[in-house]
Amino acid sequence: MRLVMPGCVNDARNSPALRIFVISCAMALYLTMGAAVFHAIEGPLEEKIGERLEQLKVQFLKDHPCVTDDDLEALLDEVVRASNRGVVASRNVSGGPNWSFGQSLFFSSTVVTTIGYGHVTPLSKPGKLFCMMYALLGIPLTLVLLSALVERLLLPATALLRSLNAALGHLYRPFTIRLVHLMIIVTSLVVFFLVIPASVFAYLEPEWDFLDSFYYCFISLTTIGLGDYIPGDSPGQAYRPIYKVATTFYLLIGLTFLMLTLTVFYDIPQLNLSTVFSSVKLDEDPEKMRLSGSGVMCQGYGVGGLVMRDDYNHHDQRRSVVHIRPHLDDSPSPEDTTPVHARDIRVH
């Protein structure tokens, strides 16, 4: 079956600009929505805390008339400045030095994994220079390590996918089986790297509840690293260096499994949005032209079984032709474990 749509297709040069414009508008709308929600939720609480601090300050000046307002402000400025650099003035806040070996190892892991909590930072100029050089080499090395670990984990993940296909292939479509496989991986991530660790942190940290611990795990594994919750910094924390080292290994293993989950997710063509918003055309990619084995200008969308390409009639007039594939399911079979980006492009 062949449908011919008369007229010219939009200039390919305009498509990337249009896609970028749409994505930019969606991103701006999403940021605006987030700002409005955070402003509505956190703004009143911030004002309440500020009023509470102002009351405490006034009460302190009344109780200590020998202390002037300027002297108190100067002291508070120094305390805040030191706290922003990871040095806490109160002896009841920190359970040990910031640059012990365990804490230094924990800091190094947050640098190379780009989590960057920001609660502890280099104070000296040599430390800042070394931190930049250390990150310059450590971040690519960490990515190589995580990629190698994910490649190994793909072996049992692929074996699981084949087992699901063997058991359910006669009942469900390949796309449905891939969704089941993805749900198993996501459930494992949530249970073993979010729920269980959150329960452990809630038990070990005296001031954390389960929501705080779950929030810390999620913020850390997504490499957001806000730094408002740091494990092992509570007063009198037992075995603090060992605790920091164990947390370091948890972060590395958790990031590896998160990358595995994303790899499985993006290997499903119907869920991979990068194929929809990609600005690379087949006629602009020599490698795809070589794989296609044809010099005809083609664009394969792979969604809904449609392939769009440009044909030319005898008068060299350009027209757009849509070919409908005879098969109903364009999802690869679970037996085909080749990554999506490595599969040959089907040209009809």
Side-chain angles (χ1 to χ4, degrees):
M1 180 178 179
R2 174 167 162 166
L3 302 177
V4 179
M5 296 186 301
C8 297
V9 183
N10 293 333
D11 192 344
R13 293 173 297 181
N14 296 331
S15 297
L18 180 60
R19 278 190 289 266
I20 293 176
F21 176 76
V22 172
I23 298 174
S24 300
C25 291
M27 189 65 188
L29 180 62
Y30 192 73
L31 291 175
T32 303
M33 180 198 68
V37 173
F38 284 124
H39 174 72
I41 296 177
E42 299 296 333
L45 180 59
E46 181 186 21
E47 295 178 359
K48 183 178 180 180
I49 294 176
E51 294 174 357
R52 173 61 177 167
L53 288 177
E54 187 64 26
Q55 293 174 359
L56 291 175
K57 176 183 172 182
V58 172
Q59 186 63 39
F60 179 85
L61 292 175
K62 287 182 179 181
D63 296 340
H64 303 81
C66 59
V67 179
T68 64
D69 184 67
D70 292 338
D71 292 339
L72 180 59
E73 287 291 339
L75 176 61
L76 293 177
D77 289 341
E78 289 297 327
V79 171
V80 171
R81 187 178 298 110
S83 178
N84 291 336
R85 303 187 67 182
V87 179
V88 182
S90 175
R91 63 173 178 266
N92 294 324
V93 173
S94 179
N98 286 328
W99 294 104
S100 63
F101 180 79
Q103 177 73 323
S104 300
L105 179 63
F106 182 72
F107 172 78
S108 300
S109 68
T110 62
V111 170
V112 298
T113 57
T114 69
I115 295 176
Y117 290 120
H119 68 298
V120 174
T121 58
L123 303 179
S124 63
K125 293 185 183 298
K128 295 175 182 178
L129 291 174
F130 176 75
C131 182
M132 291 187 289
M133 294 185 294
Y134 184 76
L136 192 63
L137 179 62
I139 292 175
L141 181 62
T142 303
L143 292 176
V144 171
L145 173 63
L146 294 181
S147 299
L149 293 175
V150 169
E151 185 177 356
R152 297 298 300 176
L153 289 177
L154 281 174
L155 296 178
T158 301
L160 174 61
L161 180 60
R162 289 176 176 171
S163 300
L164 291 174
N165 182 61
L168 305 175
H170 62 289
L171 298 175
Y172 302 101
R173 298 169 60 184
F175 175 64
T176 304
I177 297 177
R178 284 183 175 269
L179 286 181
V180 173
H181 178 250
L182 176 62
M183 287 300 101
I184 294 176
I185 300 296
V186 171
T187 302
S188 300
L189 173 67
V190 172
V191 172
F192 293 104
F193 295 97
L194 291 177
V195 175
I196 294 180
S199 302
V200 174
F201 284 125
Y203 175 78
L204 296 177
E205 298 292 334
E207 298 181 357
W208 296 13
D209 57 21
F210 180 79
L211 178 59
D212 296 332
S213 302
F214 192 91
Y215 167 82
Y216 163 76
C217 295
F218 179 84
I219 293 298
S220 299
L221 293 186
T222 54
T223 68
I224 298 175
L226 296 178
D228 47 352
Y229 289 92
I230 305 298
D233 283 356
S234 59
Q237 180 69 58
Y239 307 105
R240 186 172 186 242
I242 299 177
Y243 189 12
K244 292 288 185 177
V245 173
T247 304
T248 299
F249 282 102
Y250 158 71
L251 294 176
L252 292 175
I253 298 174
L255 286 173
T256 301
F257 204 87
L258 178 63
M259 289 183 60
L260 171 67
T261 305
L262 294 177
T263 301
V264 174
F265 176 85
Y266 283 112
D267 198 43
I268 302 177
Q270 291 87 341
L271 303 181
N272 192 347
L273 296 180
S274 63
T275 60
V276 178
F277 295 106
S278 176
S279 60
V280 180
K281 301 294 188 297
L282 182 60
D283 56 310
E284 298 173 356
D285 192 339
E287 181 65 15
K288 290 184 178 180
M289 289 292 293
R290 183 187 67 81
L291 291 175
S292 67
S294 172
V296 180
M297 188 180 303
C298 299
Q299 293 180 349
Y301 292 90
V303 178
L306 296 179
V307 174
M308 190 173 183
R309 76 181 186 185
D310 295 325
D311 280 350
Y312 295 86
N313 56 21
H314 297 291
H315 301 287
D316 292 334
Q317 294 178 349
R318 186 177 178 181
R319 63 182 180 177
S320 178
V321 180
V322 177
H323 294 273
I324 300 179
R325 291 177 180 163
H327 57 280
L328 297 177
D329 185 14
D330 60 350
S331 176
S333 171
E335 294 294 338
D336 182 9
T337 59
T338 307
V340 173
H341 61 271
R343 298 188 182 103
D344 290 342
I345 298 176
R346 291 177 289 185
V347 179
H348 298 266

mmCIF file of all heavy atoms in Angstrom, residues 16-58:
data_model
loop_
_atom_site.group_PDB
_atom_site.id
_atom_site.type_symbol
_atom_site.label_atom_id
_atom_site.label_comp_id
_atom_site.label_asym_id
_atom_site.label_seq_id
_atom_site.Cartn_x
_atom_site.Cartn_y
_atom_site.Cartn_z
ATOM 1 N N PRO A 16 15.517 20.928 12.528
ATOM 2 C CA PRO A 16 16.262 21.008 13.792
ATOM 3 C C PRO A 16 15.933 22.266 14.581
ATOM 4 O O PRO A 16 15.794 22.208 15.814
ATOM 5 C CB PRO A 16 17.729 20.988 13.343
ATOM 6 C CG PRO A 16 17.701 20.333 12.005
ATOM 7 C CD PRO A 16 16.413 20.760 11.380
ATOM 8 N N ALA A 17 15.795 23.402 13.904
ATOM 9 C CA ALA A 17 15.476 24.642 14.612
ATOM 10 C C ALA A 17 14.101 24.559 15.260
ATOM 11 O O ALA A 17 13.908 25.025 16.393
ATOM 12 C CB ALA A 17 15.548 25.821 13.631
ATOM 13 N N LEU A 18 13.148 23.954 14.551
ATOM 14 C CA LEU A 18 11.807 23.820 15.114
ATOM 15 C C LEU A 18 11.813 22.896 16.318
ATOM 16 O O LEU A 18 11.159 23.179 17.333
ATOM 17 C CB LEU A 18 10.855 23.294 14.040
ATOM 18 C CG LEU A 18 9.394 23.087 14.486
ATOM 19 C CD1 LEU A 18 8.792 24.400 14.960
ATOM 20 C CD2 LEU A 18 8.569 22.489 13.355
ATOM 21 N N ARG A 19 12.558 21.800 16.231
ATOM 22 C CA ARG A 19 12.638 20.874 17.351
ATOM 23 C C ARG A 19 13.262 21.543 18.571
ATOM 24 O O ARG A 19 12.787 21.387 19.696
ATOM 25 C CB ARG A 19 13.428 19.624 16.960
ATOM 26 C CG ARG A 19 12.598 18.597 16.197
ATOM 27 C CD ARG A 19 13.365 17.301 16.075
ATOM 28 N NE ARG A 19 14.484 17.458 15.148
ATOM 29 C CZ ARG A 19 14.411 17.156 13.852
ATOM 30 N NH1 ARG A 19 13.291 16.710 13.350
ATOM 31 N NH2 ARG A 19 15.458 17.310 13.068
ATOM 32 N N ILE A 20 14.355 22.292 18.335
ATOM 33 C CA ILE A 20 15.014 22.982 19.447
ATOM 34 C C ILE A 20 14.068 24.009 20.061
ATOM 35 O O ILE A 20 14.011 24.168 21.290
ATOM 36 C CB ILE A 20 16.315 23.643 18.964
ATOM 37 C CG1 ILE A 20 17.335 22.563 18.575
ATOM 38 C CG2 ILE A 20 16.891 24.560 20.038
ATOM 39 C CD1 ILE A 20 18.615 23.121 18.004
ATOM 40 N N PHE A 21 13.305 24.691 19.226
ATOM 41 C CA PHE A 21 12.365 25.691 19.736
ATOM 42 C C PHE A 21 11.284 25.040 20.601
ATOM 43 O O PHE A 21 10.956 25.535 21.689
ATOM 44 C CB PHE A 21 11.721 26.447 18.570
ATOM 45 C CG PHE A 21 10.677 27.437 18.995
ATOM 46 C CD1 PHE A 21 11.044 28.652 19.550
ATOM 47 C CD2 PHE A 21 9.325 27.142 18.841
ATOM 48 C CE1 PHE A 21 10.072 29.562 19.953
ATOM 49 C CE2 PHE A 21 8.350 28.049 19.232
ATOM 50 C CZ PHE A 21 8.739 29.265 19.802
ATOM 51 N N VAL A 22 10.747 23.909 20.136
ATOM 52 C CA VAL A 22 9.698 23.214 20.898
ATOM 53 C C VAL A 22 10.248 22.708 22.227
ATOM 54 O O VAL A 22 9.617 22.875 23.285
ATOM 55 C CB VAL A 22 9.113 22.054 20.064
ATOM 56 C CG1 VAL A 22 8.172 21.213 20.914
ATOM 57 C CG2 VAL A 22 8.374 22.603 18.844
ATOM 58 N N ILE A 23 11.440 22.103 22.184
ATOM 59 C CA ILE A 23 12.038 21.585 23.418
ATOM 60 C C ILE A 23 12.355 22.725 24.371
ATOM 61 O O ILE A 23 12.145 22.619 25.590
ATOM 62 C CB ILE A 23 13.302 20.764 23.094
ATOM 63 C CG1 ILE A 23 12.953 19.556 22.227
ATOM 64 C CG2 ILE A 23 13.974 20.293 24.376
ATOM 65 C CD1 ILE A 23 14.158 18.780 21.750
ATOM 66 N N SER A 24 12.855 23.842 23.841
ATOM 67 C CA SER A 24 13.185 24.987 24.688
ATOM 68 C C SER A 24 11.936 25.554 25.355
ATOM 69 O O SER A 24 11.959 25.897 26.546
ATOM 70 C CB SER A 24 13.881 26.072 23.863
ATOM 71 O OG SER A 24 15.074 25.601 23.295
ATOM 72 N N CYS A 25 10.836 25.648 24.599
ATOM 73 C CA CYS A 25 9.586 26.140 25.186
ATOM 74 C C CYS A 25 9.078 25.198 26.268
ATOM 75 O O CYS A 25 8.626 25.642 27.335
ATOM 76 C CB CYS A 25 8.529 26.314 24.095
ATOM 77 S SG CYS A 25 8.866 27.674 22.943
ATOM 78 N N ALA A 26 9.158 23.887 26.000
ATOM 79 C CA ALA A 26 8.723 22.916 27.003
ATOM 80 C C ALA A 26 9.593 22.993 28.255
ATOM 81 O O ALA A 26 9.093 22.925 29.382
ATOM 82 C CB ALA A 26 8.754 21.507 26.412
ATOM 83 N N MET A 27 10.912 23.179 28.064
ATOM 84 C CA MET A 27 11.815 23.280 29.203
ATOM 85 C C MET A 27 11.541 24.549 29.999
ATOM 86 O O MET A 27 11.543 24.530 31.244
ATOM 87 C CB MET A 27 13.265 23.260 28.718
ATOM 88 C CG MET A 27 14.285 23.135 29.827
ATOM 89 S SD MET A 27 14.113 21.536 30.668
ATOM 90 C CE MET A 27 15.233 21.764 32.045
ATOM 91 N N ALA A 28 11.311 25.663 29.302
ATOM 92 C CA ALA A 28 11.004 26.917 29.994
ATOM 93 C C ALA A 28 9.711 26.805 30.785
ATOM 94 O O ALA A 28 9.614 27.279 31.925
ATOM 95 C CB ALA A 28 10.916 28.058 28.979
ATOM 96 N N LEU A 29 8.707 26.153 30.197
ATOM 97 C CA LEU A 29 7.437 25.958 30.903
ATOM 98 C C LEU A 29 7.629 25.069 32.123
ATOM 99 O O LEU A 29 7.062 25.333 33.199
ATOM 100 C CB LEU A 29 6.410 25.352 29.947
ATOM 101 C CG LEU A 29 5.010 25.088 30.518
ATOM 102 C CD1 LEU A 29 4.375 26.394 30.968
ATOM 103 C CD2 LEU A 29 4.130 24.391 29.487
ATOM 104 N N TYR A 30 8.443 24.026 31.986
ATOM 105 C CA TYR A 30 8.691 23.115 33.102
ATOM 106 C C TYR A 30 9.428 23.820 34.239
ATOM 107 O O TYR A 30 9.104 23.640 35.421
ATOM 108 C CB TYR A 30 9.497 21.917 32.601
ATOM 109 C CG TYR A 30 9.576 20.770 33.576
ATOM 110 C CD1 TYR A 30 8.480 19.953 33.811
ATOM 111 C CD2 TYR A 30 10.750 20.502 34.261
ATOM 112 C CE1 TYR A 30 8.550 18.892 34.699
ATOM 113 C CE2 TYR A 30 10.831 19.448 35.164
ATOM 114 C CZ TYR A 30 9.727 18.651 35.370
ATOM 115 O OH TYR A 30 9.796 17.608 36.256
ATOM 116 N N LEU A 31 10.425 24.653 33.881
ATOM 117 C CA LEU A 31 11.157 25.402 34.898
ATOM 118 C C LEU A 31 10.248 26.408 35.596
ATOM 119 O O LEU A 31 10.328 26.590 36.821
ATOM 120 C CB LEU A 31 12.350 26.116 34.264
ATOM 121 C CG LEU A 31 13.492 25.222 33.768
ATOM 122 C CD1 LEU A 31 14.542 26.063 33.065
ATOM 123 C CD2 LEU A 31 14.123 24.455 34.919
ATOM 124 N N THR A 32 9.393 27.058 34.824
ATOM 125 C CA THR A 32 8.462 28.024 35.414
ATOM 126 C C THR A 32 7.504 27.341 36.383
ATOM 127 O O THR A 32 7.235 27.857 37.480
ATOM 128 C CB THR A 32 7.675 28.746 34.312
ATOM 129 O OG1 THR A 32 8.592 29.377 33.409
ATOM 130 C CG2 THR A 32 6.749 29.792 34.898
ATOM 131 N N MET A 33 6.994 26.190 35.991
ATOM 132 C CA MET A 33 6.106 25.443 36.871
ATOM 133 C C MET A 33 6.821 25.034 38.153
ATOM 134 O O MET A 33 6.282 25.165 39.259
ATOM 135 C CB MET A 33 5.570 24.207 36.151
ATOM 136 C CG MET A 33 4.635 23.358 36.994
ATOM 137 S SD MET A 33 4.438 21.683 36.343
ATOM 138 C CE MET A 33 6.076 21.013 36.615
ATOM 139 N N GLY A 34 8.073 24.541 38.014
ATOM 140 C CA GLY A 34 8.835 24.152 39.189
ATOM 141 C C GLY A 34 9.097 25.331 40.108
ATOM 142 O O GLY A 34 8.985 25.210 41.341
ATOM 143 N N ALA A 35 9.452 26.476 39.519
ATOM 144 C CA ALA A 35 9.692 27.662 40.337
ATOM 145 C C ALA A 35 8.441 28.076 41.099
ATOM 146 O O ALA A 35 8.507 28.442 42.283
ATOM 147 C CB ALA A 35 10.178 28.810 39.447
ATOM 148 N N ALA A 36 7.287 28.023 40.430
ATOM 149 C CA ALA A 36 6.036 28.409 41.088
ATOM 150 C C ALA A 36 5.706 27.472 42.245
ATOM 151 O O ALA A 36 5.291 27.922 43.330
ATOM 152 C CB ALA A 36 4.896 28.424 40.067
ATOM 153 N N VAL A 37 5.901 26.174 42.050
ATOM 154 C CA VAL A 37 5.578 25.200 43.103
ATOM 155 C C VAL A 37 6.520 25.362 44.290
ATOM 156 O O VAL A 37 6.091 25.404 45.458
ATOM 157 C CB VAL A 37 5.628 23.768 42.540
ATOM 158 C CG1 VAL A 37 5.465 22.750 43.667
ATOM 159 C CG2 VAL A 37 4.543 23.570 41.488
ATOM 160 N N PHE A 38 7.839 25.450 44.005
ATOM 161 C CA PHE A 38 8.799 25.607 45.099
ATOM 162 C C PHE A 38 8.576 26.918 45.848
ATOM 163 O O PHE A 38 8.704 26.979 47.075
ATOM 164 C CB PHE A 38 10.232 25.546 44.561
ATOM 165 C CG PHE A 38 10.687 24.150 44.224
ATOM 166 C CD1 PHE A 38 11.146 23.845 42.953
ATOM 167 C CD2 PHE A 38 10.660 23.141 45.171
ATOM 168 C CE1 PHE A 38 11.557 22.569 42.636
ATOM 169 C CE2 PHE A 38 11.075 21.859 44.863
ATOM 170 C CZ PHE A 38 11.529 21.579 43.593
ATOM 171 N N HIS A 39 8.258 27.970 45.113
ATOM 172 C CA HIS A 39 8.002 29.262 45.755
ATOM 173 C C HIS A 39 6.787 29.178 46.681
ATOM 174 O O HIS A 39 6.809 29.718 47.800
ATOM 175 C CB HIS A 39 7.782 30.336 44.699
ATOM 176 C CG HIS A 39 7.383 31.669 45.260
ATOM 177 N ND1 HIS A 39 8.266 32.478 45.935
ATOM 178 C CD2 HIS A 39 6.182 32.321 45.257
ATOM 179 C CE1 HIS A 39 7.637 33.577 46.333
ATOM 180 N NE2 HIS A 39 6.384 33.511 45.940
ATOM 181 N N ALA A 40 5.751 28.485 46.237
ATOM 182 C CA ALA A 40 4.537 28.385 47.046
ATOM 183 C C ALA A 40 4.742 27.493 48.265
ATOM 184 O O ALA A 40 4.178 27.751 49.333
ATOM 185 C CB ALA A 40 3.394 27.852 46.185
ATOM 186 N N ILE A 41 5.567 26.443 48.131
ATOM 187 C CA ILE A 41 5.742 25.497 49.236
ATOM 188 C C ILE A 41 6.799 25.967 50.225
ATOM 189 O O ILE A 41 6.593 25.964 51.438
ATOM 190 C CB ILE A 41 6.107 24.102 48.684
ATOM 191 C CG1 ILE A 41 4.947 23.533 47.852
ATOM 192 C CG2 ILE A 41 6.458 23.148 49.822
ATOM 193 C CD1 ILE A 41 5.258 22.195 47.228
ATOM 194 N N GLU A 42 7.952 26.378 49.701
ATOM 195 C CA GLU A 42 9.091 26.684 50.571
ATOM 196 C C GLU A 42 9.132 28.133 51.040
ATOM 197 O O GLU A 42 9.751 28.431 52.062
ATOM 198 C CB GLU A 42 10.401 26.353 49.827
ATOM 199 C CG GLU A 42 10.531 24.894 49.436
ATOM 200 C CD GLU A 42 10.606 23.980 50.645
ATOM 201 O OE1 GLU A 42 11.060 24.434 51.715
ATOM 202 O OE2 GLU A 42 10.192 22.805 50.532
ATOM 203 N N GLY A 43 8.520 29.048 50.290
ATOM 204 C CA GLY A 43 8.582 30.457 50.665
ATOM 205 C C GLY A 43 8.041 30.756 52.054
ATOM 206 O O GLY A 43 8.721 31.392 52.875
ATOM 207 N N PRO A 44 6.827 30.321 52.388
ATOM 208 C CA PRO A 44 6.294 30.583 53.734
ATOM 209 C C PRO A 44 7.148 29.999 54.856
ATOM 210 O O PRO A 44 7.324 30.630 55.908
ATOM 211 C CB PRO A 44 4.905 29.938 53.690
ATOM 212 C CG PRO A 44 4.540 29.924 52.247
ATOM 213 C CD PRO A 44 5.819 29.691 51.518
ATOM 214 N N LEU A 45 7.701 28.794 54.638
ATOM 215 C CA LEU A 45 8.543 28.185 55.669
ATOM 216 C C LEU A 45 9.822 28.986 55.869
ATOM 217 O O LEU A 45 10.293 29.171 57.009
ATOM 218 C CB LEU A 45 8.865 26.741 55.285
ATOM 219 C CG LEU A 45 9.742 25.962 56.273
ATOM 220 C CD1 LEU A 45 9.077 25.898 57.645
ATOM 221 C CD2 LEU A 45 10.029 24.571 55.744
ATOM 222 N N GLU A 46 10.390 29.481 54.777
ATOM 223 C CA GLU A 46 11.602 30.301 54.888
ATOM 224 C C GLU A 46 11.323 31.571 55.691
ATOM 225 O O GLU A 46 12.127 31.982 56.538
ATOM 226 C CB GLU A 46 12.110 30.653 53.496
ATOM 227 C CG GLU A 46 13.379 31.496 53.513
ATOM 228 C CD GLU A 46 13.778 31.955 52.141
ATOM 229 O OE1 GLU A 46 12.911 31.979 51.250
ATOM 230 O OE2 GLU A 46 14.965 32.307 51.949
ATOM 231 N N GLU A 47 10.197 32.218 55.421
ATOM 232 C CA GLU A 47 9.843 33.423 56.166
ATOM 233 C C GLU A 47 9.629 33.118 57.650
ATOM 234 O O GLU A 47 10.033 33.905 58.516
ATOM 235 C CB GLU A 47 8.584 34.044 55.570
ATOM 236 C CG GLU A 47 8.768 34.565 54.144
ATOM 237 C CD GLU A 47 7.482 35.133 53.576
ATOM 238 O OE1 GLU A 47 6.455 35.098 54.312
ATOM 239 O OE2 GLU A 47 7.492 35.607 52.433
ATOM 240 N N LYS A 48 9.015 31.978 57.933
ATOM 241 C CA LYS A 48 8.778 31.601 59.325
ATOM 242 C C LYS A 48 10.091 31.380 60.061
ATOM 243 O O LYS A 48 10.261 31.808 61.221
ATOM 244 C CB LYS A 48 7.919 30.336 59.372
ATOM 245 C CG LYS A 48 7.539 29.896 60.769
ATOM 246 C CD LYS A 48 6.641 28.664 60.715
ATOM 247 C CE LYS A 48 6.253 28.211 62.124
ATOM 248 N NZ LYS A 48 5.375 27.002 62.085
ATOM 249 N N ILE A 49 11.048 30.708 59.415
ATOM 250 C CA ILE A 49 12.349 30.469 60.045
ATOM 251 C C ILE A 49 13.085 31.795 60.240
ATOM 252 O O ILE A 49 13.735 32.025 61.277
ATOM 253 C CB ILE A 49 13.179 29.496 59.198
ATOM 254 C CG1 ILE A 49 12.517 28.116 59.172
ATOM 255 C CG2 ILE A 49 14.606 29.385 59.727
ATOM 256 C CD1 ILE A 49 13.219 27.117 58.283
ATOM 257 N N GLY A 50 12.992 32.693 59.255
ATOM 258 C CA GLY A 50 13.636 33.990 59.391
ATOM 259 C C GLY A 50 13.083 34.796 60.552
ATOM 260 O O GLY A 50 13.843 35.441 61.301
ATOM 261 N N GLU A 51 11.769 34.759 60.718
ATOM 262 C CA GLU A 51 11.161 35.468 61.853
ATOM 263 C C GLU A 51 11.597 34.860 63.179
ATOM 264 O O GLU A 51 11.857 35.583 64.156
ATOM 265 C CB GLU A 51 9.637 35.413 61.731
ATOM 266 C CG GLU A 51 9.087 36.181 60.533
ATOM 267 C CD GLU A 51 7.592 35.985 60.362
ATOM 268 O OE1 GLU A 51 7.011 35.198 61.158
ATOM 269 O OE2 GLU A 51 7.010 36.598 59.452
ATOM 270 N N ARG A 52 11.711 33.538 63.211
ATOM 271 C CA ARG A 52 12.154 32.866 64.421
ATOM 272 C C ARG A 52 13.583 33.264 64.774
ATOM 273 O O ARG A 52 13.905 33.545 65.947
ATOM 274 C CB ARG A 52 12.053 31.350 64.236
ATOM 275 C CG ARG A 52 12.636 30.520 65.357
ATOM 276 C CD ARG A 52 11.943 30.782 66.669
ATOM 277 N NE ARG A 52 12.473 29.935 67.721
ATOM 278 C CZ ARG A 52 12.223 30.124 69.016
ATOM 279 N NH1 ARG A 52 11.459 31.131 69.414
ATOM 280 N NH2 ARG A 52 12.743 29.298 69.907
ATOM 281 N N LEU A 53 14.463 33.335 63.790
ATOM 282 C CA LEU A 53 15.847 33.735 64.036
ATOM 283 C C LEU A 53 15.926 35.181 64.512
ATOM 284 O O LEU A 53 16.742 35.517 65.384
ATOM 285 C CB LEU A 53 16.675 33.543 62.762
ATOM 286 C CG LEU A 53 16.985 32.102 62.354
ATOM 287 C CD1 LEU A 53 17.752 32.073 61.045
ATOM 288 C CD2 LEU A 53 17.780 31.393 63.438
ATOM 289 N N GLU A 54 15.120 36.034 63.943
ATOM 290 C CA GLU A 54 15.125 37.435 64.357
ATOM 291 C C GLU A 54 14.671 37.566 65.812
ATOM 292 O O GLU A 54 15.233 38.370 66.582
ATOM 293 C CB GLU A 54 14.214 38.251 63.437
ATOM 294 C CG GLU A 54 14.277 39.746 63.667
ATOM 295 C CD GLU A 54 15.639 40.321 63.359
ATOM 296 O OE1 GLU A 54 16.367 39.726 62.539
ATOM 297 O OE2 GLU A 54 15.979 41.380 63.940
ATOM 298 N N GLN A 55 13.673 36.775 66.217
ATOM 299 C CA GLN A 55 13.230 36.798 67.603
ATOM 300 C C GLN A 55 14.324 36.315 68.553
ATOM 301 O O GLN A 55 14.532 36.892 69.629
ATOM 302 C CB GLN A 55 11.981 35.930 67.768
ATOM 303 C CG GLN A 55 10.748 36.465 67.052
ATOM 304 C CD GLN A 55 9.574 35.505 67.130
ATOM 305 O OE1 GLN A 55 9.669 34.413 67.703
ATOM 306 N NE2 GLN A 55 8.449 35.910 66.540
ATOM 307 N N LEU A 56 15.031 35.259 68.153
ATOM 308 C CA LEU A 56 16.124 34.760 68.981
ATOM 309 C C LEU A 56 17.245 35.789 69.092
ATOM 310 O O LEU A 56 17.855 35.956 70.176
ATOM 311 C CB LEU A 56 16.679 33.459 68.387
ATOM 312 C CG LEU A 56 15.754 32.234 68.453
ATOM 313 C CD1 LEU A 56 16.385 31.062 67.728
ATOM 314 C CD2 LEU A 56 15.460 31.868 69.905
ATOM 315 N N LYS A 57 17.511 36.478 68.017
ATOM 316 C CA LYS A 57 18.556 37.501 68.041
ATOM 317 C C LYS A 57 18.187 38.644 68.995
ATOM 318 O O LYS A 57 19.017 39.101 69.802
ATOM 319 C CB LYS A 57 18.773 38.025 66.626
ATOM 320 C CG LYS A 57 19.765 39.172 66.536
ATOM 321 C CD LYS A 57 19.859 39.675 65.114
ATOM 322 C CE LYS A 57 20.709 40.949 65.063
ATOM 323 N NZ LYS A 57 20.774 41.501 63.685
ATOM 324 N N VAL A 58 16.943 39.106 68.910
ATOM 325 C CA VAL A 58 16.485 40.180 69.795
ATOM 326 C C VAL A 58 16.524 39.744 71.251
ATOM 327 O O VAL A 58 16.966 40.487 72.148
ATOM 328 C CB VAL A 58 15.066 40.630 69.385
ATOM 329 C CG1 VAL A 58 14.503 41.606 70.413
ATOM 330 C CG2 VAL A 58 15.085 41.257 68.003
#
